[in-house]
Amino acid sequence: MRGQVVVRLKREVLDPQGVTIGKALDNLGYEGVGSLRQGKVFDVELETNDPAAARSALESMARDLLANPVIEDYEIQLLDEGSAGEGLVTEEEGRA
Amino acid sequence: MRGQVVVRLKREVLDPQGVTIGKALDNLGYEGVGSLRQGKVFDVELETNDPAAARSALESMARDLLANPVIEDYEIQLLDEGSAGEGLVTEEEGRA
Amino acid sequence: MRVGVVYYPGSNCEQDAVYACRLVGLDAELVWHKQESLDGCDALILAGGFSYGDHLRCGAIAQFSPVMKQVERFASDGGPVLGICNGFQILVEMGLLPGALLANDGLKFRCQDTRMQVEKTDSPFTNAYAEGQILRLNMAHYEGNYFADEATLADIEQHQQVVMRFCGPNGERGAEHNPNGSINDIAALRNRAGNVMGLMPHPERVLTPELGSADGRLMFESLRVALTGMASAENTEPLEVIADV
Amino acid sequence: MSEIAERPRPQGDLASEAIALEHGMTSDEYAKVCEILDRQPTVTEIGMYSVMWSEHCSYKSSRVHLKTLPVEGDAVLQGPGENAGAVDLGDGIAGVFKVESHNHPSYIEPYQGAATGVGGILRDIITMGARPLALLDSLRFGQLDSGKNRHLLDGVVGGIAGYGNCMGIPTVGGEICFDPSYDKNPLVNAMCFGIAPADRIVKAVADGVGNPVIYVGAKTGRDGIYGVSLLASATFDAEAAEKRPAVQVGDPFTEKVLMEACLEIINKDLLVGMQDFGGAGLTCATSEMASNSGNGMEIDVALVPRRETGLSPYEVMLSESQERMMLVTTPEMIGDVMDIFGKWDLDAVVIGKVTDDGLLRVLEDGVMVAEVPAHSLAEDGPCYSRPYTIADPPEALCGADLPCDVDPAEVLKTLLQDPNIASKRWVFQQYDQTVRYNTVQRAGGEAAVIWLKEAGSDAAVAISLDGNPWYAGLDARRGAQLAVAEACRNVACTGAKPLGITNCLNFGSPEIEERMGQFAAAVQGMGEACRALDVPVTGGNVSFYNETVETPILPTPVVGAVGKLDRYDASVRSGFVAAGDTVWLVGAVDVSDAGLGGSAYVREFHDRRAGAPPALDLELEARLQRFLVAAAAEGLLASAKDCSDGGFAVALAEACFATPEAARTDAAQATAPRSALSGLLGAEVEIRASGDGVHAALFGETASRVVVSSRAGDDVALAALAARHDVPIAAIGKVTEAAQLRIDVAGETPVQEDIQELYATWSGALAQAMENN
Ligand SMILES: Nc1ncnc2c1ncn2[C@@H]1O[C@H](COP(=O)(O)OP(=O)(O)O)[C@@H](O)[C@H]1O
Ligand SMILES: [Mg+2]
């Protein structure tokens, strides 16, 4: 199965990258951009075909390694064999 | 409206970060991880409420700035006012 | 003859580049990224550092600075443009040089001396070197791992665009002599016309043996030769350092 | 006082004594606030007092002791009290420097904690109007067999690198020690050195009634607000507490443009005064600037740029968001100031003005929410003489007490791969050490040497940061003396004359008598050493409460020394230069009386934490340092290497590793095969020691001992110069072409080793400890 872990800075944490990119978009003439924040996405291929097992593996990877619980939250999506983003199966959110 | 641009290294480009994280997962005892690749996600808040306008704004931001076409592909998702990931409205893929 | 050293918010090697130019008798001055014109510069150096904090991708945001339209025109008119470190990253982001720069294969910032061999001396930046000469320059970067896809790479090699490659003390090649994982050990790369060159190591940090090595100095001397035809024009005047303290 | 009472009272909830206690204040402190105000304070006001009167800002437990340190000297331009100290480097140049700790944040989030620590010390230097030229770091961790400690080291080094590299300021030196006492309480101390014109050091003043007060830099968020328990109390909604980020995220890019803009403003003479927002944020900057000028200040927090909505005045006044500065300028100059900030795309706003009534008045949208005498916040904090007990210094531990049958060559190899002694290349390779093209000697030598090129000078400074925690753990007073001696000796080894020191005193809880005793003794020892060596203290930092329930850290006084070299191209390096050169021991040359207390050898092979640390004869130390400086000035030293961790044998081996060619060709990965390495030299020496004293002679860490080498033709002159300085010197052997280390002791040859192999062991050990676990 394929899965995805999206890791984002917590809302209240400063995101210097997002701020700089937002300003750059302003300078490029993009108006109407309210805010921009940058996160990370991990595309993981898992050998298991059991959604529950896959989800719990992703969950613990996110907690143990992919997200820094002090400043980041994560979100998990399980995808079918199709391309990333398509075939949304389920999703879970957590304060890492 | 809220939108999301996901930027990923092209398949043929080596992703050293992904490889390293994959190894770290191995070391932590995660078995059955076929592959792991790391990408970026940009959460953008747009002032417009018109999906078509929003999509085209995201599209051109991705093309102009957020992705480097030499090494990266991007993917766009438009979200409603709900939380990230929820309320998938539409989606588009592109070789930047 | 004047060299313009282009810098951006977050650049941090612009004064070093000006110093290096002046050391070899070239007139040099800073060009702020918001300038609309190049004020008649005869050569350009894009300085190293962390333009815009290296946010998004190194060099990605700097390419949109107001002055860059002029830089692009200058380059396409055949003017000499040298991108050092972040300057190299900006040049590839702009597409003035092919390929891209990824994170070092060790996934760490690395500051160290590194060896490279000069392959092409028919260039405004290397004419004072001997072909095959092995240099010791200093590098300091996180994203200097040069990458190009197969077709691009073949094209680069075919058109002799590789100016220098990483190597060992006797010119030997191999992973242990390649400090960042660059494909084909590419250390310095030029465009097809030869007037635009980028490299990750810093020639402006190796100008005198007292500070490690003088091997970078010849790169600036080469530029002087290219601009003035003067093979030796040692600056005998005391150097005016940009005093901003 | 009565004047205040007649004025309208600030709006907002009143703070009871209970609320003050929740802010960590004492009942007496609360009473003192009520007395100063002649009324009950508001919650906002008590928040402001609590941070300004905290240990961190007011030095209430340490001040009585710190007062005893020598702070004056010919070279001192600025002693303790401002954001950083300054010494005169000649030619109108001031050297501005300071060290500061960021220990607790680095344990919670190592990357960001260390990064923001670097950001903080940089702002201290910039605030003095100086351009930072170099960073150094002193780090302490638990041992690397623990994954947690490897994670901490990796993160901390990454954070220091991430911040300093992006700022374009080379990180050129430092030190690291590993000891179990730091397991739950690592130490991250960062030092910065910068230069300013001697006649234009900027102060944190708010002169000129009516002058505008400018806020510039990052927007304010809820970062690092104290009074945690209070936020959860009825006065504040629980949600606000939830929203407080546990750590601050550093933004070196913003700091870089902030630095350039501020320096441009100073260069154009557009400034009255400047202060960074350090601990206690806006409260600290406003009250200190006003108080320093005997003035008052009025600001409106509604004008402060924010990162999120709904911040209360309390939160704005106490926020510790990074990368912000406060400037006072004049109405005439403000246009030019704002233009410069505009050039650098920085957010800058006028948030208030200087007043004449001595009061710090805080408004929110025109409504007064706090009004307190600025002076009372900044200067009237409590000062305690806490009770303490100083332990008796332990007896010396001699070689004869410690029989050891391990082959000395094996001891040497083991010590060389102890992460405490092994090359720190894995660390400093991640630091940009060469940016700005001033770095004459990078990390890896005795002291970093930085050319003052930007001031148009041929002079250079040498900087070293040192503090052996095991010595201080055994005897805090002598440990502090030894730290001063080593830092200055390292500087002198390059040929530079030490001019002043800064210090960071990392200790446990001042409320425990033994810990307070360690602190008192350390300050006493530091003062004694500074007086003897004639190096004043120009500033520093105290970090208390470095302990967990189970253990306190070893008392850790860290000393940063700065010295001056007249010529940047004449500095002496630590490695041997040429075969045939004579090898000497200078200073404490008698290897037979080496005490072993606190040594790496005893830790490693006897598992003992006992005995007195190395003896230190401060008079001899002073003469030795003067001799080194004189010998370098006369060009008589080919190399100089201090004997410290690991003792004489380790120092000798390191002098062989650091030959100029090796230093330069060492380009390949630390972990890669050493095939690329060339140019290593060897040494053949003979020392005298009685039979069972061999280990003590080779591995004892006797202070004031330096291995130097000289060209054969200089031998006579060098010996004569040593005699003139009344410094013992002994020729012990030669530098050899063959890369072999041979040490003869009393007719035997306990050490005869291949330098290539020793080098491989030493240079790869730390990377191995980090990567192969
Ligand atoms: N944390 C660090 N950051 C930068 N440089 C370091 C660090 N730790 C050690 N170094 C460098 O490694 C060299 C050896 O350090 P150390 O073993 O403490 O030497 P010494 O005993 O001579 O003080 C010094 O040049 C020092 O600057
Ligand atoms: Mg040391």
Coordinates of all heavy atoms in Angstrom, one line a residue, chain D residues 175 466 486 645, ligand 2:
Chain D
E175 N 34.7 24.1 22.1 CA 35.1 22.8 22.8 C 33.8 22.0 23.1 O 32.7 22.5 23.2 CB 35.8 23.2 24.1 CG 35.1 24.2 25.0 CD 35.4 24.0 26.4 OE1 36.4 23.4 26.8 OE2 34.6 24.5 27.2
D466 N 37.4 27.8 26.8 CA 37.8 26.6 27.5 C 37.1 26.5 28.9 O 36.8 27.5 29.5 CB 39.3 26.6 27.7 CG 40.1 26.3 26.5 OD1 40.2 25.2 26.1 OD2 40.6 27.3 25.8
E486 N 44.0 28.2 31.0 CA 44.0 27.4 29.7 C 43.6 28.3 28.6 O 44.2 28.3 27.5 CB 43.2 26.2 29.8 CG 43.4 25.4 28.5 CD 42.6 24.1 28.4 OE1 42.0 23.6 29.4 OE2 42.5 23.5 27.3
D645 N 43.9 18.2 27.9 CA 43.3 16.9 28.1 C 44.1 15.8 27.5 O 44.5 15.8 26.4 CB 41.9 16.9 27.3 CG 41.2 18.2 27.5 OD1 41.5 19.1 26.8 OD2 40.2 18.2 28.3
Ligands
MG2 MG 39.9 22.3 25.6

